């Protein structure tokens, strides 16, 4: 395969780890790569699971395997190749459409050509979804130090599918579109799990799973060379994929001819991603003519703004959600508390703004774009349950927010979450104020009793009541004052001890 040359106007983009690496096509040709894939497939009866992200690398891996196995006799194609894609439910809309249509095409074309490919989307459990964690439990917007989203939304659903495949077949081979030239870290990890004398590697988690990386020695230019010179076998156009990269990051592959835009190292991800400072992909798509996505970017930027250290006290609670403790900072900053999850009132406001964003983006979307459901009904029900059971939300805010914002009601179950209401909350607040008792303490105690009402064995209630009392019900100022006194006492003790 020709890799082009600079005289054709190519714009090659180097990767962090591709220095002194030769193009794969200077070493091997496509027939050789196809033969390796065929021999690996025929070597055993273990099914294959291909991780497909919709990007250039995983597309290259699937396409190579498709063409390689198409040359085998049909009776040799005796084991299934699962093409799985993790849908986080917060993927950038254009990427969702691209992946969905690709998986549909793979199934249809594989059936027509009698090939053993089966495409499938995998999803996070409702309890693990982005909105249930962020809005329901109050997890702050992800950052580099607390990137709680990746495992729950992407890795765990794929791992569950792999485990199910292993349980059914005993072993499995996982195919990844990983390349050593992407980074020194990626190469180090790939080499760490390699098996001497085998083209397969050990899986980092599952003893009965192996990993095959057919494009591990490809450079980024090799990937784009291949995709733009070899037609997609399931009816898509790889130039459309290149256009998506161009929209997302304004970086494109080397120019093959005058009709080829220049593209490169862009990655697709979630429209809610706050791990990066700026969402260049979303901004690029909007600048490319997708102005209807602007409300998504504005909401994402709102989430990002909550990471500003100066603004954290505005959005974040001071008590930890799990144990209900307040902890002062111990890094020498006086008078500051470690911020925890989002406050319930802020989460209510976020839910309202999210629903408003859903309405606005669908009012602005083109006619050929499907309705964009930003938060799904099962997630709303799970958030409602968490707020009612764990946050003592006697106002039952989720149905109210949804009806006021969307102008319609869902079929809410009225008696599955408890009998306390806003009216009881008003009475309790008055009593708490008169007795100088935190209202939420009383609410949590009453909720604990309600949840055990009617149970034959109620012994566990005592431990739960004890846990409620062990939470911090002190005011922040009191916590800081006591901490400063403890620190001073410790300093006096240390000085005295040193004098002995």
């Amino acid at each position: 395969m020709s890799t082009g040359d600079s005289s054709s106007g190519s714009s090659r983009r180097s990767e962090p780890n591709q220095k002194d690496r030769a193009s794969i096509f200077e070493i091997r040709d496509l027939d050789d790569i196809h033969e390796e894939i065929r021999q690996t497939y025929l070597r055993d009866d273990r099914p294959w699971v291909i991780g497909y992200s919709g990007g250039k690398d995983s597309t290259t891996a699937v396409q190579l395997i498709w063409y390689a196995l198409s040359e085998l006799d049909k009776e040799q194609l005796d084991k299934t190749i699962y093409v799985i894609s993790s849908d986080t439910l917060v993927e950038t809309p254009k990427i969702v459409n691209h992946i969905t249509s690709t998986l549909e095409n793979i199934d249809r074309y594989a059936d027509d050509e009698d090939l053993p490919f089966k495409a499938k989307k995998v999803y996070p459990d409702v309890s693990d979804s982005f909105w249930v964690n962020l809005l329901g439990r109050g997890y702050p917007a992800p950052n580099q130090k607390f990137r709680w989203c990746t495992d729950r939304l992407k890795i765990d659903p794929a791992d569950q599918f792999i485990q199910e495949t292993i349980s059914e077949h005993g072993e499995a081979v996982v195919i990844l579109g990983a390349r050593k030239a992407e980074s020194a870290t990626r190469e180090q990890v790939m080499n760490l799990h390699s098996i001497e004398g085998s083209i397969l590697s050990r899986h980092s988690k599952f003893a009965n799973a192996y990993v095959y990386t057919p494009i591990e020695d490809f450079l980024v230019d090799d990937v784009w060379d291949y995709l733009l010179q070899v037609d997609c076998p399931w009816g898509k156009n790889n130039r459309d994929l290149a256009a998506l990269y161009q929209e997302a990051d304004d970086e494109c592959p080397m120019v093959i001819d005058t009709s080829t835009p220049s593209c490169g190292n862009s990655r697709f991800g979630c429209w809610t991603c706050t791990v990066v400072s700026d969402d260049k992909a979303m901004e690029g798509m909007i600048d490319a003519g997708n102005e209807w996505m602007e409300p998504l970017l504005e909401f994402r930027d709102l989430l990002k703004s909550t990471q500003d250290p100066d603004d954290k006290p505005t959005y974040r609670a001071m008590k930890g959600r799990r144990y209900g403790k307040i902890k002062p900072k111990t890094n020498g900053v006086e008078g500051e508390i470690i911020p925890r999850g989002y406050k319930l009132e802020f989460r209510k406001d976020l839910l309202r703004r999210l629903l408003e964003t859903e309405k606005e983006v669908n009012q602005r979307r083109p006619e050929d774009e499907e309705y964009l459901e930003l938060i799904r009904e099962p997630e709303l029900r799970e958030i409602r349950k968490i707020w009612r059971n764990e946050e003592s939300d006697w106002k039952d805010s989720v149905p109210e927010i949804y009806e006021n914002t969307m102008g319609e009601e869902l079929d809410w179950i009225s008696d599955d979450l408890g009998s306390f209401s806003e009216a009881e909350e008003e009475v309790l607040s008055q009593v708490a104020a008169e007795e100088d008792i935190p209202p939420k303490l009383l609410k949590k105690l009453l909720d604990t009793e309600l949840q055990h009402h009617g149970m034959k064995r109620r012994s566990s209630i005592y431990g739960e009541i004890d846990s409620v009392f062990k939470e911090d019900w002190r005011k922040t100022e009191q916590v800081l004052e006591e901490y400063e006194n403890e620190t001073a006492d410790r300093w006096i003790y240390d000085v005295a001890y040193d004098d002995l």
Side-chain angles (χ1 to χ4, degrees):
M1 174 179 288
S2 170
T3 59
D5 57 62
S6 59
S7 62
S8 65
S10 63
S11 176
R12 288 189 174 275
R13 305 189 62 88
S14 63
E15 292 181 299
N17 203 39
Q18 77 170 34
K19 184 180 180 182
D20 299 327
R21 292 178 183 269
S23 165
I24 187 67
F25 299 116
E26 295 177 11
I27 304 168
R28 307 173 66 185
D29 58 25
L30 276 181
D31 289 339
D32 182 35
I33 297 171
H34 287 169
E35 182 60 23
E36 175 194 286
I37 293 170
R38 284 192 291 269
Q39 292 302 319
T40 305
Y41 176 84
L42 295 171
R43 190 166 296 153
D44 52 59
D45 60 358
R46 293 177 289 209
W48 283 11
V49 179
I50 306 178
Y52 176 72
S53 68
K56 63 186 186 304
D57 295 329
S58 58
T59 299
T60 298
V62 179
Q63 186 168 305
L64 282 167
I65 293 170
W66 187 292
Y67 276 118
L69 300 189
S70 296
E71 299 175 30
L72 290 175
D73 294 334
K74 298 306 179 185
E75 58 270 18
Q76 293 178 288
L77 302 173
D78 56 357
K79 64 182 185 182
T80 305
I81 301 175
Y82 299 100
V83 182
I84 66 168
S85 179
S86 293
D87 188 341
T88 64
L89 301 178
V90 284
E91 300 288 334
T92 303
K94 294 199 72 173
I95 308 307
V96 172
N97 296 340
H98 164 66
I99 293 175
T100 300
S101 61
T102 296
L103 296 180
E104 291 173 352
N105 279 22
I106 286 175
D107 271 343
R108 184 168 65 253
Y109 277 70
D111 187 57
D112 291 343
E113 299 179 25
D114 199 17
L115 293 173
F117 291 86
K118 291 186 181 299
K120 179 180 178 61
K121 273 190 181 183
V122 293
Y123 302 91
D125 291 337
V126 171
S127 181
D128 284 334
S129 76
F130 184 83
W131 297 122
V132 169
N133 279 294
L134 187 131
L135 298 177
R137 299 187 177 93
Y139 282 26
N143 57 38
Q144 287 287 2
K145 293 183 178 180
F146 188 38
R147 196 170 180 171
W148 54 263
C149 50
T150 305
D151 282 349
R152 290 173 173 82
L153 304 185
K154 279 189 171 292
I155 297 175
D156 289 349
D159 282 354
Q160 182 177 349
F161 183 88
I162 294 169
Q163 285 181 306
E164 292 171 354
T165 305
I166 293 172
S167 297
E168 181 179 354
H169 299 279
E171 291 183 325
V173 176
V174 179
I175 287 83
L176 300 177
R179 296 181 297 105
K180 293 180 178 179
E182 287 185 78
S183 69
T185 301
R186 174 63 63 89
E187 181 175 19
Q188 184 178 20
V189 171
M190 293 173 70
N191 290 337
L192 177 65
H193 297 289
S194 62
I195 301 174
E196 187 175 355
S198 175
I199 200 167
L200 302 181
S201 301
R202 289 182 295 271
H203 197 283
S204 60
K205 291 184 180 179
F206 307 116
N208 290 347
Y210 299 87
V211 175
Y212 176 39
T213 49
I215 67 166
E216 64 178 29
D217 294 319
F218 279 51
L219 305 181
V220 63
D221 291 321
D222 297 334
V223 168
W224 284 118
D225 281 344
Y226 174 75
L227 290 176
L228 295 178
Q229 294 187 56
V230 179
D231 289 338
C232 178
W234 51 83
K236 300 284 282 188
N237 190 333
N238 288 334
R239 293 183 184 277
D240 293 337
L241 177 61
L244 271 179
Y245 270 82
Q246 185 181 29
E247 288 184 10
D249 202 39
D250 199 27
E251 296 178 356
C252 308
M254 60 174 241
V255 174
I256 301 299
D257 54 46
T258 56
S259 65
T260 305
S262 175
C263 256
N265 297 319
S266 169
R267 287 184 181 274
F268 303 142
C270 304
W271 68 268
T272 56
C273 183
T274 51
V275 176
V276 294
S277 298
D278 298 299
D279 192 337
K280 299 295 187 183
M282 182 81 75
E283 292 172 359
M285 289 182 181
I286 292 171
D287 291 341
N290 299 286
E291 292 88 355
W292 61 278
M293 295 169 61
E294 284 180 349
L296 301 180
L297 183 61
E298 291 171 0
F299 190 92
R300 178 265 172 199
D301 289 344
L302 168 64
L303 292 181
K304 183 64 180 178
S305 70
T306 66
Q307 296 177 342
D308 187 326
D310 294 335
D311 293 335
K312 283 183 180 180
T314 303
Y315 307 112
R316 307 271 286 273
M318 296 297 106
K319 285 178 60 171
R321 176 177 171 271
R322 179 174 295 180
Y323 302 111
K325 299 296 183 183
I326 300 174
K327 291 187 177 182
K329 288 186 176 180
T330 58
N331 60 354
V333 180
E334 294 185 2
E336 290 192 21
I337 298 292
I338 298 174
R340 302 307 185 95
Y342 288 138
K343 298 175 182 178
L344 179 59
E345 290 306 313
F346 178 61
R347 284 181 266 160
K348 292 179 183 180
D349 184 54
L350 276 180
L351 175 57
R352 176 183 60 79
R353 293 192 188 197
L354 177 63
L355 293 170
E356 289 174 347
T357 300
E358 179 175 318
K359 287 183 64 176
E360 184 178 358
V361 77
N362 281 294
Q363 290 169 355
R364 299 173 60 171
R365 66 183 169 86
E367 292 183 0
D368 59 344
E369 293 284 346
E370 294 185 3
Y371 184 90
L372 187 60
E373 191 176 29
L374 298 186
I375 184 168
R376 290 152 176 79
E377 186 174 327
E379 294 175 289
L380 290 166
R381 296 187 185 282
E382 186 71 13
I383 292 168
R384 181 196 185 203
K385 183 170 70 174
I386 292 172
W387 286 4
R388 290 281 279 172
N389 290 346
E390 300 180 21
E391 299 285 359
S392 300
D393 179 30
W394 290 8
K395 293 181 180 180
D396 200 10
S397 303
V398 173
E400 179 184 8
I401 292 171
Y402 186 86
E403 181 180 357
N404 290 342
T405 307
M406 305 302 284
E408 61 182 22
E409 292 186 27
L410 295 178
D411 185 20
W412 303 103
I413 298 175
S414 59
D415 61 350
D416 65 333
L417 298 172
S419 58
F420 295 126
S421 67
E422 189 172 4
E424 285 88 356
E425 183 175 38
E426 292 178 1
V427 174
L428 182 141
S429 297
Q430 294 175 4
V431 173
E434 292 171 1
E435 301 295 332
D436 193 25
I437 299 174
K440 193 169 183 180
L441 169 59
L442 296 179
K443 290 169 72 175
K444 292 194 77 168
L445 290 172
L446 288 170
D447 282 340
T448 301
E449 165 61 31
L450 181 64
Q451 290 163 14
H452 287 78
H453 181 71
M455 296 177 64
K456 290 183 178 180
R457 302 187 64 177
R458 289 165 45 91
S459 58
S460 63
I461 192 174
Y462 300 110
E464 294 184 28
I465 289 175
D466 186 53
S467 296
V468 172
F469 279 122
K470 285 182 177 178
E471 291 185 24
D472 259 321
W473 297 106
R474 300 168 293 173
K475 295 180 179 180
T476 301
E477 296 78 9
Q478 183 181 356
V479 173
L480 288 171
E481 182 180 353
E482 292 179 7
Y483 174 75
E484 290 169 2
N485 290 337
E486 290 174 3
T487 303
D489 291 342
R490 192 181 304 115
W491 179 81
I492 293 172
Y493 173 82
D494 290 341
V495 170
Y497 184 84
D498 288 340
D499 288 340
L500 295 177

